[in-house]
Amino acid sequence: HFARARTITVEPHDQESIPGVRLGFFGVIDERMDLELVAAVAAARPDWHLIMIGPVVKIDAATLPQLPNIHYLGMKTYDELPTYMAGWDVAMLPFARNESTRFISPTKTPEYLAAGLPVVSTSIRDVIRPYGNAGVVHIRDTPEEFVAAVERSLAEDTSQRLKRVDAMLSQTSWSRTWGRMAELLEDAVQRRTKSKKAQHGTGKLAAAAAASGHA
């Protein structure tokens, strides 16, 4: 679904007029978002445009940073997302580091990668491992580091990056993950069945021994 973004050329009407380098995010905009980081990146590079897609929940929309190069496009359907992503230069995961994000595992990480986009994220544990460790996502926390990582992403050799990304994604597809889960479940069932049979056999021997002793 998200790989379609690599070949789509038609721009959505509310994004087509946004100029320059585009940094995109889609998802719920809530207390997990590092709004100070978003504002700082936008202020540091006014020639870049930050596109934020998704509903605003649990926080007051009035607290969102308002700069000419930050664009809140609202909620989009699942089917529409690849069309928007096709027009981005970099995807971002600007999550805060707090109790709300301590155990999150953003499924949008492989979705961004499948779309062919370079990704810059703050240091969220389940993004660092495996994506950051594999070198397919840049992990940075401060505005200065985040900006530098975006600049580095823009200068990367796209074909080489996509080779690394696709090699990793081929090992983590939903069908492959489900197949491995099914194998583990089947193995657990077999081990439990063998254990019950062994216990049953031991119980029979004990009963026979007890009966023999009583006689």
Side-chain angles (χ1 to χ4, degrees):
H1 178 73
F2 291 96
R4 291 169 47 217
R6 301 189 187 192
T7 56
I8 292 173
T9 57
V10 179
E11 284 268 25
H13 72 279
D14 56 349
Q15 183 173 276
E16 61 184 351
S17 62
I18 298 174
V21 172
R22 297 169 177 171
L23 281 59
F25 169 86
F26 70 76
V28 176
I29 301 171
D30 58 16
E31 80 283 357
R32 297 171 299 173
M33 183 73 59
D34 189 338
L35 296 177
E36 291 184 3
L37 175 63
V38 170
V41 170
R45 292 301 301 265
D47 55 322
W48 292 352
H49 289 260
L50 282 62
I51 297 170
M52 311 293 288
I53 291 176
V56 179
V57 302
K58 297 183 182 179
I59 59 173
D60 185 352
T63 64
L64 298 178
Q66 302 293 329
L67 290 169
N69 58 332
I70 303 179
H71 309 269
Y72 301 99
L73 302 188
M75 192 158 180
K76 306 299 176 184
T77 67
Y78 181 76
D79 287 341
E80 290 176 306
L81 290 176
T83 305
Y84 282 89
M85 297 165 74
W88 299 353
D89 297 287
V90 176
M92 57 181 179
L93 291 166
F95 286 113
R97 278 80 64 214
N98 55 35
E99 284 303 308
S100 296
T101 61
R102 187 177 175 188
F103 298 112
I104 64 170
S105 183
T107 55
K108 60 178 61 62
T109 311
E111 294 167 351
Y112 283 164
L113 294 171
L117 292 165
V119 182
V120 181
S121 173
T122 51
S123 54
I124 300 302
R125 186 179 64 175
D126 280 5
V127 179
I128 295 172
R129 188 188 69 242
Y131 305 104
N133 292 344
V136 296
V137 172
H138 295 282
I139 308 295
R140 300 291 185 272
D141 286 323
T142 70
E144 296 78 13
E145 292 171 341
F146 209 89
V147 167
V150 171
E151 291 174 336
R152 195 172 302 115
S153 296
L154 294 170
E156 286 176 344
D157 182 299
T158 301
S159 62
Q160 291 301 315
R161 174 174 54 78
L162 290 179
K163 284 181 182 178
R164 297 196 308 273
V165 166
D166 290 345
M168 183 175 188
L169 291 179
S170 70
Q171 302 300 310
T172 57
S173 67
W174 282 116
S175 57
R176 188 182 183 93
T177 300
W178 168 247
R180 180 59 181 145
M181 288 172 65
E183 289 175 5
L184 292 171
L185 288 168
E186 182 62 29
D187 181 60
V189 169
Q190 289 182 1
R191 283 189 283 107
R192 186 171 178 80
T193 301
K194 288 179 181 178
S195 176
K196 283 185 175 181
K197 286 181 177 179
Q199 291 174 4
H200 183 65
T202 302
K204 276 188 171 182
L205 289 174
S212 175
H214 178 72

